[in-house]
Amino acid sequence: DAGVIQSPRHEVTEMGQEVTLRCKPISGHNSLFWYRQTMMRGLELLIYFNNNVPIDDSGMPEDRFSAKMPNASFSTLKIQPSEPRDSAVYFCASSLTGLQEAFFGQGTRLTVV
Amino acid sequence: DQQVKQNSPSLSVQEGRISILNCDYTNSMFDYFLWYKKYPAEGPTFLISISSIKDKNEDGRFTVFLNKSAKHLSLHIVPSQPGDSAVYFCAAPPYGGATNKLIFGTGTLLAVQP
């Protein structure tokens, strides 16, 4: 298995533009997580899906952030409009229900200028 | 209040010596803890875990100790190697929440000097 695949690896965009981050979880995993890593807060959970259904989106910072999981093999995290303070590394992770160990993708480094 | 805290942002040790990374948590109901390791430009990878029914779990050079009364856990790496240089995160599933959702600490950057 190729593991969790995220794209793009790097994204540079101008303030106000829409940004879409993509994730393909490990085949067979039924839980998917979007995390954001910053120096100040470490790894913050943004949203968590189970069986393609959003379970907990309490970590989504603002209405500018949205996430979808249209099927078991694909998820997106969208920021619209983007702001410089959104600059961070965004990780997607997947796991099987009942197992605490989550497998992470390589992340997308987002820079909003 | 459900938090996992790593109060040391960085640690530097000599190759061959012991590295001790610390983590505190706020909720005594946490019952499972994990350590993740992260290299630059990569995602975190699972390293070792411990259940609250134990006070120690060992895997090769890595040992995690849990002190429930102090709400403290630590990761020991013996002997430390330059390849261990990475950011280490401790994590725990929140009490009463989804069983495979994790709360992470802010991480400790370990630098092992040759």
Side-chain angles (χ1 to χ4, degrees):
Chain A
D1 197 317
V4 176
I5 300 173
Q6 291 186 246
S7 64
R9 291 293 310 276
H10 302 273
E11 177 80 35
V12 181
T13 190
E14 292 185 346
M15 183 174 63
Q17 295 298 306
E18 175 182 304
V19 175
T20 299
L21 311 182
R22 297 173 175 79
C23 175
K24 175 179 168 53
I26 292 173
S27 177
H29 282 187
N30 61 350
S31 295
L32 183 139
F33 310 85
W34 283 100
Y35 284 89
R36 177 171 67 177
Q37 183 190 9
T38 60
M39 289 293 292
M40 292 298 294
R41 297 191 174 188
L43 279 165
E44 299 177 272
L45 178 65
L46 300 178
I47 188 168
Y48 155 47
F49 293 86
N50 194 48
N51 294 322
N52 312 338
V53 177
I55 303 299
D56 182 351
D57 65 355
S58 59
M60 296 286 263
E62 300 173 31
D63 290 345
R64 298 184 296 106
F65 286 69
S66 63
K68 294 182 179 179
M69 192 165 187
N71 57 62
S73 59
F74 184 67
S75 176
T76 59
L77 177 68
K78 183 182 293 186
I79 308 173
Q80 179 185 25
S82 57
E83 296 184 3
R85 60 195 168 115
D86 302 331
S87 298
V89 181
Y90 291 80
F91 289 102
C92 175
S94 70
S95 73
L96 279 169
T97 302
L99 295 180
Q100 276 83 13
E101 180 186 343
F103 295 81
F104 283 76
Q106 292 187 293
T108 295
R109 179 173 293 278
L110 173 64
T111 303
V112 183
V113 298
Chain B
D1 182 26
Q2 303 200 59
Q3 295 184 61
V4 176
K5 300 179 180 179
Q6 294 176 260
N7 295 318
S8 298
S10 64
L11 174 67
S12 181
V13 299
Q14 289 294 121
E15 180 178 6
R17 306 294 288 270
I18 183 171
S19 297
I20 300 177
L21 299 127
N22 295 304
C23 181
D24 298 296
Y25 57 98
T26 58
N27 193 321
S28 60
M29 299 300 289
F30 284 173
D31 60 7
Y32 193 77
F33 303 89
L34 305 89
W35 284 93
Y36 278 76
K37 176 178 178 179
K38 183 186 177 306
Y39 291 118
E42 295 184 12
T45 56
F46 171 74
L47 183 59
I48 192 170
S49 62
I50 188 167
S51 166
S52 61
I53 63 173
K54 296 184 176 182
D55 54 17
K56 175 182 175 181
N57 188 28
E58 187 173 355
D59 183 1
R61 296 186 297 111
F62 302 89
T63 302
V64 57
F65 295 91
L66 177 62
N67 182 333
K68 290 184 284 293
S69 61
K71 291 186 282 186
H72 177 84
L73 65 155
S74 59
L75 175 67
H76 293 212
I77 307 174
V78 183
S80 301
Q81 299 174 354
D84 297 329
S85 298
V87 177
Y88 290 79
F89 292 95
C90 64
Y95 174 70
T99 56
N100 55 344
K101 170 181 171 178
L102 293 174
I103 300 172
F104 282 85
T106 51
T108 297
L109 174 62
L110 173 66
V112 180
Q113 309 297 335

